[in-house]
Amino acid sequence: MKINNLFQKIICINIFILAIISAGCSIKNKSIEAPKQSEKSSMIAIEGKIVTLDRQNYLKNAYLYVYKDASTDFKDSPFLISNPTNENGEYSITLPEGRYYFVARKFLGDEPKTTNLEMQPEEYYAYYGGNPVNIFYTSDKPVFIGFNCSKIIKKETIEPSAAGKGIKGIVTYYGKPLIDSYVIVYQNSGADFRGQVYRRSLPTDTNGYFEINLTPGKYYILAKKKKETNPKMFYNVYHEGASEPAGNIVAGPLFEGDYICYYPNNPVTVTEQNFVNINLPAVTKISLDDISQTNYATPTRIEGIVIDMDGKPMAGIRVFASRHKMLMLMGGKPDFISNVTKEDGRYTINLTEDGVFYLGARDFIGRAPKTNEIFGYYFGTEDHSIVIKKNTVYKNIVIKAWKIE
């Protein structure tokens, strides 16, 4: 049977499954409690450096702010504030196991604050691009988390306008305009800024300028620019059949060298007949090696290899675990995603939950599969699922993938 016919049949079967699920059927997973841990593993050491964008100048008297959730918009009541960084920009803290958000700040007065955390011009800020981070004890080796911080250039201003309302401003990198970047608007922080985008700007011009009309309300603002320019990777920007892509924003995780900015004073409030003028100072994504991602391994994980239909390892693929089968098929946001496979095809998915997950593989995640893209399944079970128990490592899980025709 040809692969494309197989794929079409799988889609049809799962549309039928979705109809059953919509009628009220669901799988209920029995929760498995993790065993109690020793006193030794109850606290995890975190250390790192806070530096400027070029990673050449260390920021002394900067602070790492740790939050348990996003409920305060990272402006008040941090769970923990580190001691000030030393002359080498170094900090160290200890945390109990858990899920955290990390923000680095350096204030003009060199003293930490616990309230009124809006950033001012000449201060430094960095929202960690990997937030939220799940910290688990795996060894006595500290978890390293580094920050390259942007300097705040100007203060937010309100400009009356009879022509409309919304946000406008410039996106910068090193104080210079970041051309062809996109400003992205979210209505809430519930999906950690990885879910459905509410509004998106046109690409910034040669001055880094953008403008977005918005109804009155509270919004979270980010800026993004991806290095990848392959048209098939475009999401909500590239239009099927167009001769040229409409921009270079890409769904999915950031890669080394990509630009990202979380507006330091989120959320922004838009009122009637006013434009909020802001500056978005971007940083670049540092490499996975720089942040020692291996330290982030969780006690519950899936390890294995992605192979093609001839049994050869496949590079450039991500394996994902989804609780819902149709999301796996049609490109919804997965619950957990692996690293990008290299030439050996090896992958690891670090999980923080147990239960039934459906395993798939793609060379692009963020929308429904298209012709000539790579797609794959776990064929170890008939429905491509795997039952995960907490504190268990599942090894040698093989995923077979092919090109959609």
Side-chain angles (χ1 to χ4, degrees):
M1 180 182 292
K2 292 184 177 180
I3 291 300
N4 58 335
N5 291 335
L6 174 61
F7 180 76
Q8 291 171 356
K9 289 188 176 182
I10 291 171
I11 293 293
C12 291
I13 291 170
N14 285 284
I15 290 173
F16 174 72
I17 292 173
L18 179 63
I20 295 175
I21 293 173
S22 300
C25 298
S26 62
I27 298 175
K28 294 185 178 180
N29 302 318
K30 183 179 180 180
S31 177
I32 302 173
E33 291 191 12
K36 294 187 181 297
Q37 296 185 324
S38 66
E39 187 68 25
K40 179 180 179 181
S41 65
S42 62
M43 299 295 288
I44 295 91
I46 315 289
E47 62 182 36
K49 288 189 176 185
I50 301 176
V51 300
T52 55
L53 281 179
D54 57 8
R55 291 181 247 171
Q56 299 298 315
N57 297 310
Y58 306 123
L59 291 177
K60 184 181 179 181
N61 293 324
Y63 297 87
L64 177 66
Y65 280 68
V66 182
Y67 296 85
K68 296 278 285 187
D69 57 54
S71 62
T72 65
D73 299 323
F74 315 115
K75 286 185 177 178
D76 293 298
S77 307
F79 173 72
L80 182 146
I81 304 174
S82 72
N83 289 326
T85 54
N86 61 20
E87 59 276 6
N88 295 317
E90 297 169 331
Y91 72 87
S92 62
I93 59 173
T94 57
L95 290 171
E97 290 187 344
R99 182 175 182 266
Y100 300 98
Y101 296 80
F102 297 108
V103 174
R105 292 182 168 102
K106 177 175 170 57
F107 302 101
L108 287 175
D110 289 341
E111 295 294 331
K113 300 177 183 179
T114 56
T115 59
N116 191 26
L117 291 173
E118 290 197 1
M119 303 302 294
Q120 305 299 321
E122 302 301 313
E123 295 181 334
Y124 289 86
Y125 181 92
Y127 174 89
Y128 182 58
N131 282 332
V133 178
N134 294 290
I135 300 295
F136 290 89
Y137 177 84
T138 56
S139 70
D140 291 327
K141 184 178 179 181
V143 174
F144 182 89
I145 302 180
F147 295 84
N148 52 338
C149 292
S150 294
K151 181 188 285 189
I152 308 302
I153 296 177
K154 70 173 187 176
K155 191 175 179 64
E156 176 182 305
T157 58
I158 305 297
E159 298 183 5
S161 171
K165 50 189 172 292
I167 59 169
K168 64 180 181 180
I170 58 172
V171 182
T172 60
Y173 179 72
Y174 263 108
K176 297 180 180 180
L178 188 60
I179 303 170
D180 288 333
S181 58
Y182 287 84
V183 175
I184 304 167
V185 179
Y186 291 91
Q187 288 186 298
N188 59 67
S189 59
D192 297 319
F193 313 110
R194 293 182 176 89
Q196 182 66 40
V197 172
Y198 177 67
R199 290 283 190 276
R200 175 186 54 79
S201 72
L202 294 172
T204 53
D205 63 17
T206 54
N207 296 314
Y209 181 79
F210 71 91
E211 184 174 311
I212 306 176
N213 289 300
L214 295 167
T215 57
K218 185 173 75 171
Y219 301 98
Y220 296 83
I221 314 299
L222 287 81
K224 190 175 183 181
K225 180 177 180 179
K226 301 286 283 185
K227 291 170 61 179
E228 175 61 62
T229 57
N230 185 340
K232 81 169 187 176
M233 301 292 282
F234 289 84
Y235 177 60
N236 286 342
V237 178
Y238 178 70
H239 301 286
E240 206 68 52
S243 58
E244 295 291 336
N248 67 354
I249 190 172
V250 185
L254 294 172
F255 292 94
E256 182 180 2
D258 290 342
Y259 298 89
I260 182 70
C261 174
Y262 172 92
Y263 181 56
N265 292 330
N266 272 329
V268 173
T269 300
V270 174
T271 58
E272 289 285 356
Q273 303 303 315
N274 284 317
F275 266 97
V276 183
N277 194 327
I278 64 176
N279 171 245
L280 294 168
V283 300
T284 51
K285 172 74 173 179
I286 59 179
S287 72
L288 295 180
D289 291 338
D290 285 346
I291 60 172
S292 303
Q293 187 175 2
T294 53
N295 287 319
Y296 292 65
T298 59
T300 309
R301 58 187 185 274
I302 305 169
E303 300 174 354
I305 186 172
V306 180
I307 59 174
D308 62 20
M309 301 309 284
D310 294 323
K312 296 178 181 179
M314 300 186 73
I317 310 298
R318 286 184 182 271
V319 180
F320 53 93
S322 293
R323 288 196 179 276
H324 301 287
K325 192 170 187 178
M326 286 305 295
L327 289 182
M328 178 186 72
L329 287 166
M330 303 312 297
K333 182 177 180 292
D335 292 280
F336 299 98
I337 308 174
S338 77
N339 57 296
V340 178
T341 60
K342 297 182 179 180
E343 296 301 321
D344 61 2
R346 306 299 303 183
Y347 73 88
T348 299
I349 305 178
N350 292 303
L351 301 99
T352 57
E353 302 171 9
D354 61 355
V356 176
F357 290 93
Y358 298 92
L359 300 185
R362 294 200 38 203
D363 57 349
F364 177 72
I365 296 175
R367 54 162 166 71
K370 294 186 176 183
T371 303
N372 294 323
E373 291 183 354
I374 303 299
F375 191 90
Y377 286 137
Y378 169 58
F379 284 93
T381 58
E382 186 175 349
D383 64 352
H384 316 296
S385 70
I386 183 170
V387 179
I388 300 298
K389 296 181 180 180
K390 282 187 177 180
N391 298 323
T392 303
V393 178
Y394 297 82
K395 297 186 176 183
N396 302 317
I397 303 300
V398 177
I399 306 292
K400 291 183 179 181
W402 60 89
K403 181 180 287 188
I404 301 171
E405 297 179 357

